Amino acid sequence: MVTFEGVTKRYGDAANPFVALDGVDMTVGRGAITGIIGRSGAGKSTLIRLVNGLEKASDGRVVVDGTEVGQLNETGLRGLRREVGMIFQHFNLLSSRTAFDNIALPLEIAGFDPAAIKAKVVPLLDLVGLGDKSASYPSELSGGQKQRVGIARALATSPKLLLSDEATSALDPETTQSILALLKQINAELGLTVLLITHEMEVVKTIASHVAVIDKGRIVEQGPTFDIFTAP
Ligand code: ADP
Ligand code: ADP
């Protein structure tokens, strides 16, 4: 679903660049849940931002569902972002909008009419277990409920790929488990490919079938989670 081929990302001026990613080769299998684990500053956010075109590779190619992200123009990037949902550590909900209206936002942007939006949002609220919170504002929701809204919003445009940027890092262990269970359910029921980044080993062990370990911009190990985390 996603391949990184010799991807290097340099920040800063050409004379004195900072190398955030250094020759990354990686594959994210279709329908799999892949975890990328590494310390703060290892390059995880950079990696994920290359997938939805928020950053551009300095060298190499990032290919998402057959399309090279670096070759897309603005129209192409808009199309890509409908195919790629994203959830965040701090949820990134709009406080002035209800749960329903937060989930509706990407559909409004895509030009859906109100009836089509309702037909899409109501089942999503049910899917994430918030059927009775449609009219609640983010300030009236718990952290876990806010992330459920974030997940529903990410799914609104029926993406093929879900990116998760430390989505459980602001949640307590019990809530973390419930959100991971929801992501697993969505992966199984919708066949959605999931790529998540985390600094927490437990998250990867709980949910990811495949894992890549990143350190100082290099992938130092990758493979099935069972192989990576089982001592020989
Ligand atoms: P593409 O987006 O280029 O079609 P995919 O990653 O979807 O690439 O598939 C490439 C190949 O890898 C296919 O032959 C597919 O069957 C295989 N594949 C996809 N997902 C997995 C996985 N989780 N584990 C092992 N092989 C996989
Ligand atoms: P992680 O998500 O693993 O914490 P990041 O991808 O955010 O890592 O960052 C990797 C490295 O790149 C860090 O040293 C960070 O300071 C640097 N970096 C990230 N974004 C920029 C930027 N826009 N300009 C310069 N350096 C950056």
Side-chain angles (χ1 to χ4, degrees):
M1 182 76 194
V2 183
T3 56
F4 291 79
E5 300 166 14
V7 173
T8 292
K9 175 65 187 179
R10 292 181 286 269
Y11 289 115
D13 63 294
N16 187 22
F18 178 84
V19 181
L21 293 178
D22 189 1
V24 168
D25 292 306
M26 196 179 87
T27 301
V28 177
R30 195 180 293 277
I33 301 182
T34 300
I36 297 172
I37 186 162
R39 277 183 285 237
S40 176
K44 303 184 297 298
S45 297
T46 300
L47 201 68
I48 218 170
R49 289 163 62 84
L50 286 166
V51 175
N52 62 8
L54 288 173
E55 298 286 356
K56 230 176 151 166
S58 309
D59 286 310
R61 292 162 21 104
V62 180
V63 180
V64 176
D65 204 20
T67 301
E68 186 180 345
V69 176
Q71 298 293 323
L72 293 172
N73 59 19
E74 276 308 312
T75 309
L77 284 173
R78 272 200 296 280
L80 174 74
R81 286 174 194 147
R82 282 196 291 273
E83 299 283 316
V84 181
M86 187 151 172
I87 57 176
F88 306 90
Q89 178 171 5
H90 297 295
F91 322 122
N92 293 10
L93 302 180
L94 296 178
S95 56
S96 62
R97 282 179 165 242
T98 62
F100 183 102
D101 288 333
N102 266 286
I103 300 165
L105 187 63
L107 297 168
E108 290 172 16
I109 292 169
F112 285 76
D113 66 54
I117 289 174
K118 195 171 172 194
K120 196 85 208 188
V121 173
V122 170
L124 280 171
L125 279 161
D126 287 334
L127 177 73
V128 299
L130 293 180
D132 58 344
K133 299 289 181 191
S134 176
S136 298
Y137 288 88
S139 62
E140 301 167 325
L141 299 173
S142 69
Q145 289 170 334
K146 281 184 233 182
Q147 193 56 289
R148 286 168 186 271
V149 175
I151 291 168
R153 179 184 55 188
L155 298 179
T157 56
S158 307
K160 295 175 185 161
L161 173 66
L162 179 66
L163 305 177
S164 169
D165 185 350
E166 300 279 5
T168 56
S169 296
L171 304 174
D172 63 64
E174 203 175 313
T175 310
T176 292
Q177 288 306 317
S178 76
I179 292 296
L180 295 180
L182 175 61
L183 291 177
K184 240 177 175 165
Q185 179 199 338
I186 289 165
N187 167 257
E189 284 180 15
L190 307 181
L192 192 76
T193 304
V194 178
L195 174 60
L196 63 92
I197 60 175
T198 181
H199 64 278
E200 294 172 301
M201 196 82 85
E202 240 0 85
V203 167
V204 164
K205 283 188 180 171
T206 302
I207 191 172
S209 61
H210 291 69
V211 62
V213 182
I214 186 169
D215 185 40
K216 299 190 187 81
R218 291 171 185 258
I219 303 290
V220 292
E221 273 193 272
Q222 62 180 312
T225 309
F226 183 83
D227 295 350
I228 301 282
F229 287 125
T230 307

